[in-house]
Amino acid sequence: MTHIALRALLGVALIAPSSVLVPATADAKLSATEARMAKTVDAEYERSVALLQKLVDQNSGTMNFAGVDLIGKMMRAELEPLGFTVEWKPQAAANRAGHLIATKKGKAGAKKLLLIGHLDTVFEKDSPFQKFTRKGQEAEGPGAGDDKGGMVVMLAALRAMQAAGTLKDAEIEIMLSGDEEDAGDPIEVARADLIAAGKRADVALDFEGLSIEDGKDMGSIARRSSNSWTITTTGKTGHSSLIFSNEYGDGAINEMTRILAAFRKELPEPNLTFNTGIIAGGSSAALDADAVRATAAGKGNIIPQTAVARGDFRTLSPEQTDRVRAKMQAIVAAHAPGTDAKISFDPGSYPAMAPTPGNKALLDALNVVNKDMGLAPMAALDPLKRGAGDISFVASDVDGLVGLGTSSRGDHAPGETVDLDSIRRQAKRAAILMTRLSAAK
């Protein structure tokens, strides 16, 4: 569905008293069907926690292909009893394990919902952080929040819909990627299935973590892009006493310094961040094949011949991405005397998810759910506080909402801790929202 069509759908719903997306009166509460969904989530809470422990205790670091595959099998076992047709899509062509795709037909004319999550974590098999440890209403574990907690919320919501009889009419496609934390290469292969699913969908719901600020749940309607770049500068080497002369020029390191200083001065604008993550220079310098380590050699009395630097920049729209790239290229091209400089951009970048009116309408619809549940409204999160994610690959085709998973802290580091109680309110929100969206005309 186009952004315009979805805005029209939700826009009407937000002002029409008869719509399923909005309560008929200012003080309306949950319907009997919706209340049953909420009760089901509560009744199955310990089941959800037990499943989370099972998922967390199986390592599924992105490069642990066997582990990712096993998590896929566990999710298949949960989804098939709910009426989903489940397919495993191997990703050998992108040097990754694979993706799990589950589909379920609904009532004719039902809105097509795309649910997004991921099977992998950042914790590989050699990580010392491997097991689930429950501590009251919290639990530590690799991927406990990102994104195994999100997948558990998704399942809890779907089971609640089944118990209440609303799942049978819903048309849903689920995309659980096996490489969200470290996307396969080429990216067009690794994300082909997700992009195709986005083109089929009317709404995309991302089950990564819930953001909380000052104790308040936040809604996420935007995610910034993630773009990687590499700069190589070269100069004429010789004795240091000759630097800046007409014959030898500025040297490679000074040229790299000029470029990075110009970035800092000329690039800043709203919603943009840029970072230099690694740098090396000398008579020789190089990055390793993965571009995460550098080697260099040189002396203080030798003009450096080579310098390399690698970093990223993040934007809120494709237009901003194009504009920033052009500025960076112009700065690099204006190299100092006696030097040369080149910049390249990785093809495997994550696009931006811009804050469209359609995304805002979805958050408005979720806030109607919050009101009916007796929860506070969720303000839109500043996109500067949300990293890149898979939903961005479908953002140009379908409006979406991010953050339907669990609340957690310390993600991507040993000690990652999930708020188990957040499973309850997030699964209730998701079940009611999906039911209302599915029934909307």
Side-chain angles (χ1 to χ4, degrees), residues 121-155:
T121 77
V122 299
F123 303 96
E124 298 293 346
K125 289 178 69 175
D126 60 354
S127 169
F129 187 49
Q130 291 289 343
K131 293 298 180 181
F132 181 94
T133 303
R134 186 170 182 176
K135 301 177 179 180
Q137 289 305 307
E138 292 188 334
E140 290 185 1
D146 186 16
D147 186 35
K148 292 176 179 179
M151 293 193 297
V152 166
V153 168
M154 183 190 296
L155 289 169

Side-chain angles (χ1 to χ4, degrees), residues 183-357:
D185 183 29
I187 196 74
E188 57 267 21
V189 171
R191 291 295 173 270
D193 292 307
L194 176 60
I195 292 169
K199 294 182 184 300
R200 293 188 289 268
D202 294 315
V203 175
L205 302 175
D206 186 323
F207 282 79
E208 285 202 296
L210 168 69
S211 293
I212 297 178
E213 284 196 336
D214 299 324
K216 298 177 181 178
D217 292 355
M218 306 293 289
S220 295
I221 62 172
R223 302 188 78 149
R224 292 189 303 153
S225 68
S226 178
N227 309 271
S228 296
W229 53 263
T230 302
I231 297 173
T232 303
T233 59
T234 55
K236 185 174 181 180
T237 189
H239 197 281
S240 63
S241 63
L242 300 173
I243 195 166
F244 305 133
S245 66
N246 291 335
E247 183 178 358
Y248 285 89
D250 284 25
I253 291 178
N254 283 327
E255 169 60 1
M256 182 66 76
T257 302
R258 177 198 69 80
I259 291 170
L260 299 180
F263 282 0
R264 183 68 183 90
K265 181 179 180 180
E266 299 178 31
L267 293 183
E269 60 179 71
N271 298 312
L272 170 70
T273 56
F274 50 95
N275 178 61
T276 305
I278 187 169
I279 187 169
S283 54
S284 64
L287 298 174
D288 69 359
D290 296 323
V292 297
R293 299 173 185 83
T295 57
K299 291 184 177 182
N301 61 355
I302 299 175
I303 300 172
Q305 187 172 27
T306 305
V308 291
R310 182 169 171 81
D312 76 351
F313 72 94
R314 297 169 186 263
T315 60
L316 193 54
S317 70
E319 295 77 17
Q320 187 177 37
T321 299
D322 292 342
R323 181 172 62 253
V324 172
R325 280 192 181 191
K327 286 183 179 179
M328 295 173 80
Q329 289 168 329
I331 290 169
V332 170
H335 47 81
T339 67
D340 195 6
K342 292 180 171 59
I343 186 170
S344 61
F345 300 94
D346 286 9
S349 299
Y350 271 63
M353 175 186 178
T356 66

Side-chain angles (χ1 to χ4, degrees), residues 114-117 154 175-176 194 204-208 390-391 394:
L114 172 61
L115 314 186
I116 299 172
M154 183 190 296
M175 182 73 194
L176 301 177
L194 176 60
L205 302 175
D206 186 323
F207 282 79
E208 285 202 296
D390 274 349
I391 194 172
V394 304

